[in-house]
Amino acid sequence: MGTIRHVFLILCFVGGVAGGGSVQVQNVLLKDNTTIVNITLPCNATEDESNCTVSYQPIMTTDLDGEVRVSLGALGHPVEALSSGHLLVAKDAGGIFDMSVVFLTSYSTDIGATGLILNRPLPPQFAEELDLYVPTIKHPGVEFLGIGGPTEPERGFVLHTVRGLAGSREVSENTFVGGRRATIIQRVHQNPSTHSYRLLYGTARWGPLQLDGEIRRGGWMTLRPEPGDIFGIPSELMWNHLMKRALSVPASEEM
């Protein structure tokens, strides 16, 4: 029954889009109870035609309010040079990702990608409902509490600048994820002029090639982070600041 419903949802979507003449539906595959629709988008004359084919797969997600939603996840060919440590700036991403900036913490064409939203402050009522740990903010601008994504909303992830901690991994230059939370916060409180952290509840996850497809259809702009991007820009200004930069960078230089 679930498979039939997914087929119906996708065919309705494809019929609506294809009816406008902007795409070509190549085929529908049913494999291991997975429904996949391959769609060819219009290509420029200079583009490799294979890079204009996007597959869509039903994705079930649970919102922060607990509501389960079924959407279409775009699967695409690998985006060249995409890797952990890059920033994703939402261009056409809805829901919790609307006007968001995501820091990629891992990326693999075989496994998928994970990331943390950097500019969604944690609502006090959300913290109370889930009984989340909320540290005392002694240095606004240096410390930040936020929502990192819709997956595992009760799990805290710490992005920080403290080097040499057990259980910590450097994702990009001077930006680490993981480590003992209490130690990180203590180090930041001791040296707020040199260290920063972001405690983010929840994470963003994409299946293999799902993020690539979203990027290729224009859902995200990509940027290499510059010093100060992750910890130095106020959350309310981050999207505007980085989107302006992303739009000013030639497409060949974004990655």
Side-chain angles (χ1 to χ4, degrees):
M1 183 64 181
T3 299
I4 295 174
R5 182 169 62 251
H6 288 165
V7 173
F8 176 76
L9 285 170
I10 292 180
L11 291 179
C12 286
F13 168 79
V14 172
V17 176
S22 60
V23 299
Q24 293 181 346
V25 181
Q26 291 183 312
N27 52 60
V28 178
L29 301 177
L30 296 180
K31 184 178 181 180
D32 299 330
N33 289 326
T34 298
T35 305
I36 298 176
V37 177
N38 292 330
I39 301 174
T40 300
L41 305 174
C43 287
N44 295 327
T46 58
E47 289 183 310
D48 178 358
E49 186 174 345
S50 65
N51 289 337
C52 301
T53 298
V54 180
S55 298
Y56 290 85
Q57 182 177 9
I59 303 295
M60 295 189 67
T61 58
T62 303
D63 289 348
L64 294 175
D65 59 7
E67 184 174 353
V68 177
R69 299 180 186 276
V70 178
S71 59
L72 291 173
L75 311 179
H77 291 271
V79 173
E80 186 178 357
L82 183 63
S83 66
S84 61
H86 279 97
L87 293 173
L88 305 175
V89 185
K91 187 178 181 182
D92 183 22
I96 192 174
F97 294 111
D98 182 45
M99 297 182 70
S100 68
V101 176
V102 176
F103 178 63
L104 273 186
T105 53
S106 69
Y107 171 82
S108 167
T109 57
D110 297 323
I111 299 175
T114 61
L116 295 168
I117 299 174
L118 299 178
N119 61 332
R120 282 280 181 275
L122 181 70
Q125 65 273 19
F126 180 66
E128 292 176 4
E129 289 174 4
L130 294 183
D131 194 25
L132 302 179
Y133 168 74
V134 178
T136 301
I137 299 297
K138 295 184 178 181
H139 306 282
V142 173
E143 305 171 86
F144 178 81
L145 296 177
I147 295 175
T151 305
E152 298 182 276
E154 298 182 10
R155 182 180 176 188
F157 298 83
V158 187
L159 280 180
H160 60 92
T161 60
V162 183
R163 184 177 295 275
L165 295 182
S168 182
R169 174 172 60 90
E170 188 170 23
V171 181
S172 63
E173 186 176 3
N174 295 322
T175 302
F176 304 84
V177 62
R180 190 168 179 268
R181 184 171 58 194
T183 301
I184 295 168
I185 294 174
Q186 182 183 36
R187 294 281 188 90
V188 172
H189 286 175
Q190 291 172 346
N191 301 282
S193 62
T194 57
H195 290 310
S196 302
Y197 78 84
R198 287 177 176 266
L199 174 56
L200 307 167
Y201 283 97
T203 185
R205 296 187 186 278
W206 292 266
L209 299 181
Q210 182 185 352
L211 177 58
D212 304 74
E214 292 182 10
I215 292 172
R216 288 194 180 281
R217 73 165 177 78
W220 301 93
M221 304 289 283
T222 57
L223 283 175
R224 295 187 183 93
E226 294 181 355
D229 282 350
I230 296 173
F231 299 103
I233 305 175
S235 62
E236 66 273 15
L237 303 178
M238 185 177 287
W239 184 85
N240 280 316
H241 178 84
L242 294 178
M243 179 54 78
K244 287 180 181 178
R245 196 169 89 215
L247 292 173
S248 69
V249 177
S252 60
E253 298 179 11
E254 285 181 11
M255 304 304 296

